[in-house]
């Protein structure tokens, strides 16, 4: 019993806030970076300093988005328009990319010092989904997804990975566009109409809703207001932890619409669930170089 509609064949999981307890790390890093910038900006322009508010700014503007998209979105909400810059801008550069890299440096420092924790209930759910024969993928805006999965020891629980590295290589737009989730479904050979999206971010839930997926599970790690926002952005169900879906008293979800296509049957020699599919952006893809964290 997984608490999902009958007929689904794949689960697509966001990383931060769904599988790993790193969403708070990102929020703290965004606040510190933006507050430092906003103080300098207010001083130079003779304006009052209004700090970045994690409660009211994090969800709508940066959570779940690619780093540059989140930076740009929040600044525009304050009427600030900076040059885009380039991906290799130093953290000191006053550009969208430079500020994003400044935030990235803070995230990596926190992860290096404090490590990364997983949500046990999420790991239990992923294992249960795989035991039931469902294919699994991680879909994250983080360019450091492979390293995080390896550090916490859950790489082998996923058939494919679509992350910030893959999105950049394939020029996929970030959430709330559904493209990365659609790529995740394609990577495991399942149509969107037979796949379930698991997300804690408003942008990610919206991406799942817009992509025509079978079911969108919103994961609420915050409060009632965030839970309501997840529903408003398209979540079919909202849970506090993925282990809630395994409870026997959970109401049965609505069945899939009749006539939806099924995933192709595995061809002779095709990898089994748990093994990388040929051409899929798996957990072994591109793990060289210094870790870089998106979102």
């Amino acid at each position: 019993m997984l608490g999902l509609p009958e007929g689904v064949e794949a689960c697509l999981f966001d990383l931060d806030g769904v599988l790993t307890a790193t969403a708070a790390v990102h929020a703290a890093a965004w606040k510190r970076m933006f507050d430092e910038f906003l103080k300098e900006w207010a001083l130079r322009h003779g304006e009052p300093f209004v700090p970045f508010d994690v409660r009211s700014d994090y969800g709508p503007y940066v959570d779940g988005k690619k780093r540059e998209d989140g930076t740009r979105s929040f600044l525009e909400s304050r009427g600030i328009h900076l040059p885009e810059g380039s991906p290799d801008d130093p953290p000191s550069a006053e550009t969208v990319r430079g500020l994003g890299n400044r935030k990235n440096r803070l995230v990596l420092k926190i992860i290096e010092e404090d490590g990364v924790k997983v949500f046990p209930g999420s790991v239990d759910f992923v294992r249960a989904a795989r035991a039931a024969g469902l294919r699994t993928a991680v879909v994250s805006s983080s360019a450091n997804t492979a390293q995080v999965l390896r550090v916490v020891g859950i790489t082998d629980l996923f058939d494919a990975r679509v992350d910030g590295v893959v999105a950049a290589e394939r020029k996929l737009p970030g959430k709330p566009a559904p493209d990365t989730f659609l790529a995740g479904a394609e990577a495991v050979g399942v149509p969107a109409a037979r796949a379930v999206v698991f997300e804690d971010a408003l942008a990610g839930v919206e991406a799942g809703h817009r992509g025509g997926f079978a079911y969108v599970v919103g994961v609420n790690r915050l409060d009632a207001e965030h839970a309501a926002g997840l529903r408003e952005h398209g979540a079919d169900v909202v849970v506090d932890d993925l282990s809630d879906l395994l409870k026997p008293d959970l109401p049965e979800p609505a069945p899939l619409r009749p006539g939806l296509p099924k995933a192709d049957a595995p061809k002779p020699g095709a990898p089994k669930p748990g093994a990388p599919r040929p051409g899929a952006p798996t957990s072994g893809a591109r793990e060289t170089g210094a870790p870089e964290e998106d979102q």
Side-chain angles (χ1 to χ4, degrees):
M1 179 180 294
L2 297 172
L4 304 177
E6 289 189 18
V8 299
E9 300 175 24
C11 295
L12 312 177
F13 300 90
D14 177 45
L15 179 67
D16 302 308
V18 174
L19 298 172
T20 59
T22 44
V25 173
H26 286 287
W30 279 118
K31 177 169 177 57
R32 179 173 172 183
M33 181 277 289
F34 278 131
D35 282 357
E36 290 175 353
F37 167 77
L38 291 171
K39 285 179 182 178
E40 297 172 0
W41 182 269
L43 185 62
R44 290 202 309 268
H45 292 81
E47 301 172 353
F49 164 60
V50 180
F52 178 89
D53 189 300
V54 172
R55 185 178 182 86
S56 60
D57 294 326
Y58 180 66
Y61 302 119
V62 301
D63 189 21
K65 298 181 181 180
K66 293 195 293 185
R67 196 189 315 148
E68 62 272 22
D69 292 342
T71 303
R72 189 185 313 106
S73 176
F74 171 72
L75 292 177
E76 289 178 351
S77 77
R78 296 294 182 90
I80 300 173
H81 302 275
L82 296 181
E84 188 70 16
S86 63
D88 58 352
D89 277 359
S92 58
E94 199 168 275
T95 63
V96 168
R97 296 283 190 161
L99 291 183
N101 290 339
R102 189 185 306 181
K103 177 262 177 182
N104 175 60
R105 183 174 62 180
L106 293 170
V107 165
L108 294 179
K109 184 174 185 294
I110 295 172
I111 290 177
E112 180 181 353
E113 293 176 350
D114 300 338
V116 179
K117 297 180 181 179
V118 297
F119 292 109
S122 295
V123 175
D124 290 344
F125 183 87
V126 176
R127 293 188 189 280
R130 292 179 67 79
L134 275 62
R135 303 172 195 177
T136 56
V138 174
V139 180
S140 172
S141 60
S142 171
N144 195 36
T145 299
Q147 289 88 344
V148 171
L149 293 176
R150 187 174 64 248
V151 166
V152 298
I154 59 174
T155 297
D156 293 341
L157 293 182
F158 302 97
D159 303 310
R161 167 176 53 84
V162 177
D163 60 8
V165 174
V166 174
E169 290 174 344
R170 297 174 57 179
K171 295 180 171 56
L172 300 175
K175 306 166 188 177
D179 300 64
T180 52
F181 278 122
L182 292 171
E186 180 183 15
V188 296
V190 174
R194 291 278 174 180
V196 179
V197 167
F198 298 81
E199 261 285 359
D200 72 311
L202 302 182
V205 164
E206 183 177 337
H209 181 71
R210 288 168 57 180
F213 289 88
Y215 205 57
V216 180
V217 177
V219 183
N220 175 36
R221 306 286 187 189
L222 298 177
D223 50 30
E225 182 178 344
H226 186 66
L230 292 171
R231 293 187 183 92
E232 290 171 2
H233 282 73
D236 294 296
V237 65
V238 175
V239 296
D240 293 334
D241 188 82
L242 293 192
S243 62
D244 294 344
L245 295 171
L246 301 175
K247 295 178 179 178
D249 57 347
L250 188 75
E252 287 293 325
L256 292 179
R257 297 185 301 277
L260 292 176
K262 289 185 69 65
D264 294 335
K267 297 181 175 60
K272 299 177 182 179
R277 295 171 57 83
T282 65
S283 56
R286 192 164 172 182
E287 295 185 356
T288 59
E292 181 186 20
E293 184 73 23
D294 246 329
Q295 194 215 35

